[in-house]
Amino acid sequence: MAKRPREDSREEVVDIDRPAKRLRCSKTDRLSSLSDELLVRTLSYLPISDLVCCQRLSRRLKSLAGDSQLWKALYFDRFVRPRASRIPGVRDKECSARSLYYSSKLSKWLDDDHLVKAGRATNWKRQYKLRHNWSRGSANVGETQIAERSSTPPLLVGLHDGIVITADLATGLKAWLLTGEMTDRVIAGTRLCLCKDPGETSAAPTSLAIDSTESLSDRVNVSLGFEDGSFAIFTLRRNERSFIRQYTHAPSRNSIILAIAYASPYLLTMTGAQLLSLYHFSDDPNEKLDNHGVPLPTLLSSLRSHTAYPPISLAIRTSSISVIASIAYAIPTLARGWSVGLQELRLSREGIILDSRMASASSSPLTPPLSSFYQPSISPILKMKASLVPNNNISRIPTSTKPTSMSYNHPYLLSAHADNTLTLYMVTSNTEELTVGAGNRLWGHTSSVSGAHVGDRGKAVSVSAVGNELRVWELEGGIASAGSRKRAAAGEASIQVRPERKDIGKPTKNDVRETSDSVNALRSELGSLQSNDESAITKGWVAFDEEKVVLLREKTAGAQALVVYDFS
């Protein structure tokens, strides 16, 4: 007896819930038959979003869509060509539009020529992603505690090539590595005290500078200034994970070292007695040696000032024919409050002083404003009457508050203020003149700006004292155009860095509960922060390199930590 067939297997019955079979394409895959060169050429016409999606299709497209030459052209088109188009006179040349397209010539890459010189060692996709994250303000944030309590004088910090140098009297000189997954990030350390007697105390460090001209990648030269007027030079040997003390200068009667700059073989110091000194270290073995066999430095120039007020910024820049040592400082004026001044010492490569000149951003007499030294108490009624008086010329005078920090990297001079603003000055320095342009105010911060640092190509970073607000500024070319000034006045000349979360997904009930708890905790934390002093929350030091921004932050309990913003 034959089995009865199932009802669902009959030919006339169709299961509508069963998905239809996928039809195989009978056409020939002509794309896979193309050569790699043709495919790379085809991929070069795609936008960035589609190019990234192509890397998920197959192993071959992943390799071709990540081709270094492809991303090199994209890097040039987005980050180099717009800068080249702003150079005066380029658009007036013949075929200027065609000449601004991708080119392998070093002259067309401006300050990015070092990436071209590196050849195949340059990962152009990584460089594009890095610059893209900078333009969006997208970074991962990490924090490393470096001290359990605050110190007096404050902890000194410096940044160079992914290494943070810290110095204070309690913990000494240390080097911290910012890369890798090391649990102990300290790679080297040494004591600063050279006292022979047990009861003798050493002077505390007050200023720090790192030599950026060192050609050897495994060595970093560090200079420290102390409160007794002395200074010392150390060399960090990364491979040996140790510091070597190279030179120690004798204490001076000219008070503490307020600031120091080091570009081997030149060293520039500024003391509390407003004495600016420039030293030169010679490699000649016939020079006079100290007790450790190191040649003694030669004092090239020493200048005393009576109008330079902190904060100050020292800089040394070298060229093929000269060396220029600069000091930027705050100066009080009678009519407009505080302004900035600049002095340069120009020397030949042999160490002969060629010229010394000064310039300031204001032509008013250098008279300190009365409000900066004495502020008498005025009743609210008198203030109201003064505001109602017509033709009150005093209230119409635009004044500037005293800078909280200052950073000079020619031709950009940037000062931060406690009124939530920054001021940018463009410096003109050549063989004929030295001028400081009128200051342009930069808005964007919502609280007092505690620190700012300007680097190459006009990129600057500023940090607020409250609220963990970090902003990135693109100041190349200054604020010359009307559109640039309008964006600066509207607070659109900067990008606020917003850390991204790694775990992005749909919120659950637990996430909502945790979010509400974190909001309540944040409110209580903000309430406690508002009751504290601003200087006890975020220190004024901030620095950055190609990949990271590092700032020094002090917790309410006194612990100090390095906050690292990684854009890679």
Side-chain angles (χ1 to χ4, degrees):
M1 179 177 174
K3 294 179 66 176
R4 187 178 61 180
R6 295 175 57 184
E7 295 182 358
D8 54 355
S9 62
R10 298 176 182 177
E11 295 181 356
E12 62 272 5
V13 177
V14 179
D15 189 359
I16 59 176
D17 296 333
R18 180 179 299 177
K21 292 185 177 180
R22 185 176 58 182
L23 299 178
R24 296 184 179 274
C25 182
S26 60
K27 296 183 180 180
T28 305
D29 184 8
R30 301 183 184 277
L31 187 64
S32 301
S33 62
L34 297 178
S35 63
D36 293 347
E37 291 77 8
L38 291 177
L39 283 177
V40 170
R41 182 66 176 179
T42 304
L43 293 174
S44 64
Y45 294 99
L46 295 180
I48 300 296
S49 57
D50 295 341
L51 186 63
V52 174
C53 291
C54 287
Q55 292 187 287
R56 308 173 185 173
L57 300 179
S58 65
R59 294 182 179 180
R60 185 187 181 192
L61 286 179
K62 180 180 180 180
S63 176
L64 295 179
D67 184 76
S68 182
Q69 294 298 321
L70 182 62
W71 287 94
K72 181 180 180 181
L74 295 173
Y75 183 94
F76 180 89
D77 184 68
R78 179 176 178 182
F79 300 112
V80 180
R81 187 168 59 87
R83 295 182 58 218
S85 64
R86 293 194 295 266
I87 298 178
V90 171
R91 294 184 178 180
D92 299 336
K93 296 180 180 180
E94 296 181 359
C95 302
S96 59
R98 183 181 304 175
S99 63
L100 290 179
Y101 284 104
Y102 169 73
S103 174
S104 59
K105 296 181 179 180
L106 293 179
S107 58
K108 297 293 185 65
W109 285 82
L110 303 180
D111 295 337
D112 293 315
D113 56 349
H114 65 283
L115 299 176
V116 183
K117 293 179 181 179
R120 296 184 178 181
T122 302
N123 188 339
W124 287 103
K125 182 181 177 181
R126 184 176 184 276
Q127 293 295 329
Y128 186 96
K129 180 182 178 182
L130 182 63
R131 293 289 297 272
H132 175 71
N133 290 339
W134 274 100
S135 63
R136 291 181 54 197
S138 175
N140 294 325
V141 182
E143 186 173 312
T144 302
Q145 183 173 340
I146 58 177
E148 296 181 356
R149 61 182 63 88
S150 59
S151 59
T152 304
L155 180 72
L156 304 177
V157 190
L159 175 65
H160 176 72
D161 195 19
I163 295 179
V164 174
I165 307 295
T166 62
D168 65 349
L169 186 59
T171 61
L173 184 63
K174 289 185 177 181
W176 305 73
L177 187 65
L178 296 182
T179 58
E181 300 295 336
M182 300 173 55
T183 56
D184 185 10
R185 295 177 179 267
V186 179
I187 61 175
T190 184
R191 295 173 60 246
L192 298 178
C193 180
L194 294 179
C195 306
K196 298 181 180 180
D197 298 335
E200 187 179 357
T201 59
S202 177
T206 56
S207 57
L208 182 147
I210 301 177
D211 181 16
S212 60
T213 62
E214 179 62 47
S215 58
L216 299 178
S217 59
D218 61 333
R219 295 186 180 182
V220 179
N221 292 330
V222 182
S223 59
L224 287 177
F226 297 89
E227 60 181 357
D228 60 355
S230 63
F231 61 86
I233 296 178
F234 298 84
T235 298
L236 169 63
R237 298 182 178 179
R238 301 180 59 176
N239 297 337
E240 302 177 5
R241 302 172 68 92
S242 63
F243 278 103
I244 305 298
R245 184 186 289 259
Q246 300 290 351
Y247 174 77
T248 301
H249 195 71
S252 174
R253 299 179 180 179
N254 296 311
S255 186
I256 67 174
I257 304 292
L258 292 178
I260 190 170
Y262 187 32
S264 181
Y266 298 95
L267 187 139
L268 186 65
T269 62
M270 182 66 175
T271 66
Q274 297 187 349
L275 183 67
L276 182 68
S277 302
L278 179 63
Y279 298 89
H280 176 264
F281 290 85
S282 177
D283 297 333
D284 189 358
N286 298 325
E287 293 288 340
K288 187 177 179 180
L289 306 179
D290 62 357
N291 298 332
H292 302 279
V294 180
L296 294 175
T298 303
L299 180 61
L300 299 179
S301 178
S302 183
L303 303 175
R304 188 177 297 275
S305 173
H306 299 282
T307 58
Y309 291 82
I312 59 178
S313 177
L314 303 182
I316 301 176
R317 66 181 191 273
T318 60
S319 64
S320 59
I321 59 175
S322 64
V323 178
I324 299 178
S326 309
I327 174 174
Y329 51 89
I331 54 175
T333 61
L334 180 62
R336 300 179 61 88
W338 290 86
S339 183
V340 297
L342 182 67
Q343 182 168 358
E344 286 186 351
L345 284 174
R346 190 164 60 92
L347 304 91
S348 63
R349 298 295 297 182
E350 293 77 17
I352 302 175
I353 298 179
L354 303 177
D355 190 13
S356 176
R357 50 192 181 178
M358 299 177 59
S360 64
S362 176
S363 59
S364 303
L366 302 179
T367 305
L370 181 62
S371 59
S372 63
F373 298 99
Y374 175 68
Q375 295 182 352
S377 59
I378 303 177
S379 63
I381 298 178
L382 293 180
K383 289 183 179 180
M384 185 180 301
K385 290 182 178 180
S387 62
L388 296 177
V389 176
N391 299 327
N392 191 355
N393 296 327
I394 297 179
S395 61
R396 296 181 180 179
I397 299 177
T399 59
S400 178
T401 59
K402 185 178 181 181
T404 57
S405 70
M406 191 173 299
S407 178
Y408 176 54
N409 192 339
H410 185 76
Y412 306 99
L413 176 57
L414 186 65
S415 63
H417 304 274
D419 59 355
N420 310 354
T421 63
L422 296 95
T423 306
L424 174 64
Y425 304 89
M426 298 300 296
V427 178
T428 302
S429 175
N430 49 44
T431 57
E432 299 178 356
E433 63 175 354
L434 172 66
T435 59
V436 180
N440 293 284
R441 280 301 181 98
L442 304 177
W443 283 266
H445 280 275
T446 57
S447 61
S448 173
V449 185
S450 62
H453 177 71
V454 60
D456 299 334
R457 298 180 302 188
K459 178 184 291 185
V461 173
S462 59
V463 59
S464 294
V466 181
N468 304 337
E469 184 179 5
L470 184 71
R471 287 190 170 271
V472 178
W473 307 78
E474 292 292 343
L475 306 176
E476 187 176 21
I479 314 293
S481 63
S484 300
R485 290 193 295 269
K486 184 180 296 184
R487 289 193 300 270
E492 301 175 354
S494 64
I495 299 174
Q496 184 177 357
V497 178
R498 301 181 183 277
E500 292 185 349
R501 292 183 56 185
K502 296 183 180 180
D503 49 343
I504 300 177
K506 296 183 179 180
T508 60
K509 295 182 178 180
N510 295 332
D511 295 334
V512 174
R513 188 181 300 108
E514 293 177 359
T515 303
S516 60
D517 295 340
S518 61
V519 169
N520 296 332
L522 179 61
R523 289 177 179 175
S524 60
E525 183 180 357
L526 289 177
S528 61
L529 290 180
Q530 292 177 356
S531 61
N532 295 320
D533 185 17
E534 291 183 356
S535 61
I537 299 173
T538 301
K539 295 295 184 180
W541 183 84
V542 59
F544 65 92
D545 56 11
E546 294 291 336
E547 299 181 0
K548 298 177 179 63
V549 175
V550 184
L551 59 92
L552 179 62
R553 182 165 298 156
E554 182 175 323
K555 302 296 183 178
T556 55
Q560 297 186 0
L562 287 177
V563 182
V564 182
Y565 293 80
D566 190 358
F567 291 85
S568 59

